[in-house]
Amino acid sequence: MKRFIVIIWVCIPFLACEVDQLRKGSEASEQKVGFDASTAAAITGTDKSWQQMSLRELIGQTVCLLYDADLLQNGSDQELRSFLTKYPVGSIFLANWAIGDPDETESRQEQYRRIVQELSVASSYPILFSEDFEVGLGTSFPSYTNLTREMGLGATRSPDHASRFGEIIAREARSVGINWLLHPVADLNQNPFNHLTNTRSIGEDAELARPLLQSQITAMQRQSVVATAKHFPGDGTDVINQHFATSAVQMSLAEWRDTQGALFKDLIDHGVLGIMPGHISFPAFQKEKVDGEFLPASLSKELVTDLLKGEMGFQGIVVSDALNMAGMSGYFSGDLEQQIESFKAGCDIMLWPSLAYIDTLEQLILRDEIPRSRLEDAVSRVWAVKESVGLLRDDYKYVEKLSDDDLMRHQNMAVEIAENSITLVSDKHNNLPIGEYPGRKVLVISVSENDESQTLIPLVTALEERGCLVEHENNLSYFTHGDRLSIIEKEYDQIIFCYLAGPSDPWGSIGPRNDQALTMWSSNMISRDKVISISFGDPYIQLMYLPQVWIRINAYHKDANSQNAVVKAIFGEIPFQGTSPVSSTRKRG
């Protein structure tokens, strides 16, 4: 029997808050300012077969299990079915690093398809298979497409490019069996020193981010893929990395409602199917504390149930961020208790809980310590979302393969997006384009925590194809190479510094440090007419630390398309078309 879906899209603009309330500024008046929940897109499932499930099967729908080959794949088909009967999980996260390498008889794509097929056949209920592919599938599947980061997309300022961006990721994900993507990042990067959001964000402006995220989400969900906006209530104002500690929204409630909150509300009204709360507190909104601290959204009923689901009217699935991150730890007695508390707070799906979570939640509901209505709310949302992407249809196909022509079209679109993202921060004395002549001697310096000599092969190759004689070094610390700088100036026609730091790369902080900082020192000591400074990641390096350098370029990601686009732009083969989506003037925290 075929099942049909009913999705009501409501696009009536909402009134974020009343002007006179915004002007009052007191906490009491701010708490009264609210969203109109009636404008939220209704995600209404017509299939109610979930109501026939056992208690344990209902609980399984709230689990997104981290794939474990030893647990799921190393037994017989009967053992797999037995496992999924005992632990009837509704979602599985197919992490590239957890699956392991394929053997010589199959490609990575074939490996994923086989695993999806085996798990879906063994399960009594349809499964959401999830992953993060924020920059495309090319990093996991060699023949697939590499894309720039969201901030590169922001630099294009093009809803059309955003739509293509979402289509590429979603179609390639569906071709290997992934039907739930845990992105896009909807955070506004308003703090240059936030090293987790950074280039994963469209930029710092909600008005810029809104049409690009909407276009991207529409394109993703048009391919029957669940899109997930993250990380509610918004990262990017603090300096804290949620992997290490709880972050916080560093703005007033009125300001949040007018910017980051308004953006999330727009995406809700636009029909995004999933939202991920972060391990982020919101002191301007919250009242409840545990041991003197505001809870992160992933554990906060105030933020998930009262604000997101209640006031803002979100009807899709709320999925916790990864439960193994330190940003949600320490508030309760252990991992299992915090998993249960996350569910109680309003998260509908737990991302990577223990199997003991299923057993424990079952007992708590049977003892009436957690109301069954909380579980039914969660499962009804999960089931409606599964229905909305066609997962409940009898003719649903987990894998929609792509042709070689499809992949070629994706590659061409990715090149176009990259070429439109490259941003000329400055060319003080109009030294660009540099012009071609045989034998131009170029020194390329990769500025990185690690040896990135292999990363910049596309850049080096592109320079050589244009007649340059290229040498490549990793870092040029002023402490160890300061006495070489005058020699380098005479020996090379061009010295290109390539900054490669990006979000969580390296872990710890994103600002230049150690040899990276000392290499930046060197770049400011060399004759300005010789230096080209490029960031293939963090854009603030060029904006904040290198004002004296004549030629500064932001490329936002170190993928091959961005490297090739930079070289084309330097030689005048294409114009610099990107517009910076961030500035260096917004500092918080």
Side-chain angles (χ1 to χ4, degrees), residues 288-299:
E288 180 186 359
K289 291 184 177 181
V290 170
D291 197 25
E293 302 290 337
F294 291 114
L295 288 167
S298 47
L299 293 169

Side-chain angles (χ1 to χ4, degrees), residues 160-215:
D160 288 340
H161 285 323
S163 180
R164 296 185 183 102
F165 188 100
E167 177 189 345
I168 290 168
I169 295 177
R171 290 196 69 198
E172 293 188 4
R174 289 283 282 118
S175 78
V176 296
I178 301 296
N179 51 21
W180 180 18
L181 293 170
L182 299 182
H183 51 86
V185 171
D187 306 317
L188 299 176
N189 199 71
Q190 297 186 315
N191 188 328
F193 302 103
N194 183 298
H195 56 279
L196 181 59
T197 303
N198 201 266
T199 53
R200 297 170 70 205
S201 164
I202 291 282
E204 65 190 19
D205 183 6
E207 294 303 314
L208 168 63
R210 180 179 295 109
L212 302 185
L213 288 170
Q214 288 177 343
S215 294

Side-chain angles (χ1 to χ4, degrees), residues 91-370:
S91 309
I92 298 175
F93 188 93
L94 295 180
N96 186 50
W97 43 266
I99 284 179
D101 295 327
D103 61 34
E104 63 279 0
T105 66
E106 62 181 356
S107 67
R108 173 66 80 184
Q109 295 94 299
E110 292 167 338
Q111 180 191 33
Y112 261 69
R113 291 167 189 150
R114 172 179 54 79
I115 290 171
V116 166
Q117 173 69 11
E118 291 172 355
L119 291 172
S120 61
V121 168
S123 175
S124 299
Y125 298 102
I127 296 176
L128 284 170
F129 291 102
S130 69
E131 237 289 17
D132 289 292
F133 292 120
E134 292 179 16
V135 292
L137 277 74
T139 54
S140 299
F141 304 90
S143 62
Y144 278 33
T145 307
N146 287 294
L147 290 159
T148 186
R149 286 200 175 271
E150 291 283 349
M151 192 170 283
L153 190 60
T156 73
R157 298 179 180 250
S158 168
D160 288 340
H161 285 323
S163 180
R164 296 185 183 102
F165 188 100
E167 177 189 345
I168 290 168
I169 295 177
R171 290 196 69 198
E172 293 188 4
R174 289 283 282 118
S175 78
V176 296
I178 301 296
N179 51 21
W180 180 18
L181 293 170
L182 299 182
H183 51 86
V185 171
D187 306 317
L188 299 176
N189 199 71
Q190 297 186 315
N191 188 328
F193 302 103
N194 183 298
H195 56 279
L196 181 59
T197 303
N198 201 266
T199 53
R200 297 170 70 205
S201 164
I202 291 282
E204 65 190 19
D205 183 6
E207 294 303 314
L208 168 63
R210 180 179 295 109
L212 302 185
L213 288 170
Q214 288 177 343
S215 294
Q216 187 178 161
I217 287 167
T218 295
M220 292 166 70
Q221 295 185 169
R222 190 181 292 130
Q223 302 301 324
S224 297
V225 168
V226 178
T228 310
K230 61 186 183 186
H231 306 81
F232 185 83
D235 202 354
T237 61
D238 204 351
V239 298
I240 303 299
N241 184 326
Q242 301 168 56
H243 291 86
F244 308 143
T246 305
S247 184
V249 177
Q250 301 285 354
M251 61 172 72
S252 70
L253 182 56
E255 185 181 4
W256 177 84
R257 291 191 192 279
D258 197 41
T259 56
Q260 183 70 79
L263 178 59
F264 271 110
K265 185 63 171 71
D266 284 338
L267 300 182
I268 290 170
D269 296 347
H270 194 71
V272 67
L273 294 173
I275 289 181
M276 175 184 286
H279 306 316
I280 306 166
S281 66
F282 190 5
F285 183 88
Q286 291 173 272
K287 298 296 184 185
E288 180 186 359
K289 291 184 177 181
V290 170
D291 197 25
E293 302 290 337
F294 291 114
L295 288 167
S298 47
L299 293 169
S300 171
K301 182 178 180 294
E302 290 176 300
L303 294 178
V304 174
T305 299
D306 300 342
L307 179 57
L308 178 59
K309 290 182 172 180
E311 182 181 330
M312 299 176 76
F314 180 57
Q315 298 181 37
I317 51 175
V318 178
V319 55
S320 74
D321 204 343
L323 295 167
N324 62 354
M325 293 166 65
M328 71 177 301
S329 296
Y331 297 96
F332 298 99
S333 61
D335 292 345
L336 181 57
E337 184 176 356
Q338 74 186 23
Q339 292 166 23
I340 297 296
E341 290 297 327
S342 182
F343 174 76
K344 289 167 61 178
C347 290
D348 304 307
I349 295 182
M350 304 297 109
L351 185 61
W352 310 350
S354 63
L355 293 175
Y357 160 84
I358 297 177
D359 302 322
T360 304
L361 184 56
E362 183 179 32
Q363 292 305 310
L364 290 171
I365 292 175
L366 287 172
R367 295 199 301 262
D368 293 326
E369 295 182 34
I370 294 177

